[in-house]
Amino acid sequence: MALRRRSYHHGNLREALIEAAIYLIEKTGPHSFSLSEAARRAGVSAAAPYRHFKGRDDLLEEVARLGFIEFGKALSKAYGEGGPTPLDAIQRVGSSYLKFAEEHQGYYMAMFESGIAITRNSTLYQVYEDAFSVLIKVTQELVDAAPPETRPPVSMIANHIWAMSHGVVELFARSKQSAITQFSASDILSSGVLIYLNGLGLLNGTSPERG
């Protein structure tokens, strides 16, 4: 993400610090950057960030909050596009997850790898829930298409697919492990989701149209 240098005197200090934090997270990880480094990159004094943020963790939580907003938009867009079946939709959402992690690494690391306590920040938790609700919706469609007696809990499936997506990102999409496998991260996730859903009896050789 290219950083546009700004200054407090132009009224953009908050945005400049966020952009600086994203840059530093991408370069050194979410645990290594400091508030003073963000201030230096934004071209302001070490004391200036405290006009907008209580400390480093406060800035990190704001980066994560903005990341979840963009993440939710990306998943929602994927959910609403393309093929007509619930399985098509869930595969698109998974692909969107991987694409977001690749294209917005600073956001992704702040969201999932920084150690911030999402549930302790109500605003942050709400945008997290908004993003997760997309996966809940597409999973609900898939479960609703199955016979009532075979329907597993929607939230369980959604959490499993979320965890599977995150695991693929960590092991294959942004890791050196990707160099020792012949399969792409997208193929690994797609096949893993298919195997998982088939094991739950949610496919059964049919792909009903979405309602």
Side-chain angles (χ1 to χ4, degrees), residues 105-118:
Q105 293 188 29
Y107 277 148
Y108 191 86
M109 285 188 278
M111 292 156 58
F112 295 115
E113 301 172 10
S114 64
I116 59 174
I118 293 175

Side-chain angles (χ1 to χ4, degrees), residues 90 132 135-137 139-140 153-164 196:
I90 208 164
F132 185 63
L135 193 52
I136 289 287
K137 284 189 290 187
T139 303
Q140 185 71 62
V154 171
S155 60
M156 178 192 73
I157 299 172
N159 275 288
H160 284 175
I161 294 175
W162 187 296
M164 194 183 305
Y196 169 67

Side-chain angles (χ1 to χ4, degrees), residues 59-182:
L59 174 56
L60 191 57
E61 288 184 4
E62 178 61 9
V63 172
R65 186 187 73 83
L66 294 172
F68 274 115
I69 290 173
E70 295 305 313
F71 186 54
K73 289 178 181 177
L75 296 185
S76 293
K77 182 179 179 181
Y79 171 69
E81 293 180 346
T85 71
L87 182 58
D88 291 328
I90 208 164
Q91 295 285 29
R92 289 197 310 275
V93 169
S95 294
S96 180
Y97 191 113
L98 297 182
K99 183 177 180 181
F100 182 89
E102 178 183 0
E103 296 182 352
H104 304 283
Q105 293 188 29
Y107 277 148
Y108 191 86
M109 285 188 278
M111 292 156 58
F112 295 115
E113 301 172 10
S114 64
I116 59 174
I118 293 175
T119 57
R120 294 181 185 176
N121 182 324
S122 59
T123 304
L124 178 57
Y125 183 67
Q126 183 59 59
V127 292
Y128 163 84
E129 285 281 278
D130 290 343
F132 185 63
S133 70
V134 179
L135 193 52
I136 289 287
K137 284 189 290 187
V138 69
T139 303
Q140 185 71 62
E141 287 189 10
L142 192 68
V143 170
D144 287 347
E149 66 275 9
T150 66
R151 294 175 183 173
V154 171
S155 60
M156 178 192 73
I157 299 172
N159 275 288
H160 284 175
I161 294 175
W162 187 296
M164 194 183 305
S165 302
H166 183 69
V168 170
V169 168
E170 294 301 315
L171 288 175
F172 301 106
R174 292 197 299 103
S175 165
K176 292 181 181 179
Q177 296 294 331
S178 60
I180 62 172
T181 178
Q182 61 180 311

